Amino acid sequence: MGACVRRNLAYTTALLMAVSLSACLQGAGQDDPIRLSGHTMGTDYMVKIPGIPVGLGREDLHARIKEILERINGRMSTYEEDSELSLFNNNHTPDWVDVSAETALVVQEALRISRLTGGAFDITVGPLVNLWGFGPAPQQGQLPGKDAIRAAMTTVGYHRLHLRDSPPALRKDQPAIQIDLSAIAKGYAVDAVAEYLDSVQVSSYLVEIGGELRAKGEKAERVPWKVAVERPVPEGRRVLRTLFLRNSAMATSGDYRNFFEKDGQRFSHTINPRTGKPITHNLASVTVLSASCMEADAWTTGLLVLGPEDGYELATREKLPALFVTRGANGFEQQATAEVDRFLES
Ligand code: ADP
Ligand code: MG
């Protein structure tokens, strides 16, 4: 992989393949919405709207969306050396480091999900992500040893990260603490684009970045936005289940796109901060629905780390609409919380 491409893989769900929206969306015909698409955060984005609002040109709308995505990437990417996040990561002092209000907001939400998941979701996991070859650091070609894992784990722990509201700033207790927003920033960017569309009175849209989605209104009169949860397999794009989104976001985390295999074992890019290793259970994917895509994005990684039992129990307790897909003896098994029911009907 070239250096240039690697630098852009800031938030990729898919080192192997970016999620294509066409696989996520159903339907075609003369009512086809307008599509605005491109590349961001190491993956693809697509915005679908039934029509352009009066007084706004298609190119202007797309230019504003690109600006929003570039701004967020420029602040939150660990692949951009001068991003706010990289400046914080490279600052080895216990002093407050100023960040934008939006970076602070994303960190605040990340810390909330960390607390709710008992640390299964943890944005200070960066040194472990790098150690296992899934971050900006080059892959080692061999599995990390116990000592290296133990050493990296001493710098992981969300409670060592502190956030101040005004002026917005971050501070670390330990010089080596690093932040990695890959598991939440795509969701935030989806929300930011959706909120921009709200602000220019676009009353119906579907926004997608690398498989994280948010919809509003309907695709056409009495035709809801229909999206697919895909079969958690690396090859192809096949539908496992379809859901209907009206005013909701949906995110999916899985172990089936970004992973490597060694000696017949699968190593996923989702790291359990407690063991310092990629997850190993039989949970292949978790999908969460929520009003906020940022929240859904973070939950899916947290629940994936917690696994099929603890994750499902927490999702049930929190009344989250969540779909768990496990690899069973007879193929994929689905387990959905009761709250998913309202997304099954059109
Ligand atoms: P997915 O589609 O599987 O959710 P994402 O790109 O959204 O993929 O999130 C995975 C990325 O999150 C990893 O590549 C890594 O950078 C980071 N990550 C890995 N484990 C954790 C964790 N336990 N908590 C927070 N972030 C993590
Ligand atoms: Mg995610």
Side-chain angles (χ1 to χ4, degrees), residues 183 186 212 252-253 297 300-301:
K186 281 193 298 285
E212 324 301 15
T252 300
S253 282
D297 199 9
T300 56
T301 294

Side-chain angles (χ1 to χ4, degrees), residues 99-278:
V99 292
S100 59
E102 68 179 348
T103 297
L105 178 87
V106 175
V107 170
Q108 185 181 34
E109 179 67 355
L111 294 176
R112 187 178 75 89
I113 303 293
S114 292
R115 286 189 286 271
L116 286 167
T117 57
F121 180 81
D122 191 330
I123 53 169
T124 64
V125 80
L128 285 166
V129 173
N130 280 335
L131 188 67
W132 286 93
F134 293 110
Q139 199 149 16
Q140 297 302 309
Q142 57 192 35
L143 297 183
K146 276 199 186 100
D147 290 345
I149 295 172
R150 213 173 294 132
M153 281 175 78
T154 63
T155 70
V156 175
Y158 68 92
H159 46 273
R160 295 182 185 137
L161 180 66
H162 306 279
L163 177 68
R164 183 179 73 186
D165 278 350
S166 66
L170 300 172
R171 183 172 74 72
K172 47 180 121 177
D173 280 350
Q174 203 189 327
I177 293 275
Q178 306 274 306
I179 302 184
D180 172 3
L181 292 177
S182 305
I184 188 168
K186 281 193 298 285
Y188 171 74
V190 168
D191 287 335
V193 171
E195 279 151 29
Y196 163 67
L197 294 173
D198 288 340
S199 77
V200 291
Q201 277 76 49
V202 175
S203 56
S204 176
Y205 53 74
L206 185 88
V207 178
E208 189 250 357
I209 304 177
E212 324 301 15
L213 305 140
R214 179 161 149 175
K216 184 173 184 184
E218 297 183 319
K219 184 179 167 201
E221 216 180 320
R222 288 191 294 282
V223 183
W225 295 106
K226 189 175 168 189
V227 297
V229 176
E230 59 180 11
R231 279 173 65 80
V233 289
E235 65 284 344
R237 302 268 154 191
R238 285 177 51 207
V239 176
L240 181 78
R241 186 158 197 171
T242 49
L243 297 171
F244 296 94
L245 297 184
R246 276 205 166 76
N247 295 314
S248 180
M250 178 179 110
T252 300
S253 282
D255 71 350
Y256 59 101
R257 289 267 171 239
N258 193 355
F259 67 90
F260 64 87
E261 274 178 341
K262 200 160 168 78
D263 304 329
Q265 210 194 326
R266 175 178 297 210
F267 295 90
S268 148
H269 72 156
T270 302
I271 310 283
N272 184 342
R274 258 179 243 148
T275 61
K277 296 177 186 169

Side-chain angles (χ1 to χ4, degrees), residues 50-69:
I52 303 284
V54 183
L56 253 181
R58 178 190 171 122
E59 288 315 314
D60 291 344
L61 194 71
H62 199 177
R64 271 301 291 140
I65 291 169
K66 283 187 203 159
E67 259 172 52
I68 293 167
L69 297 173

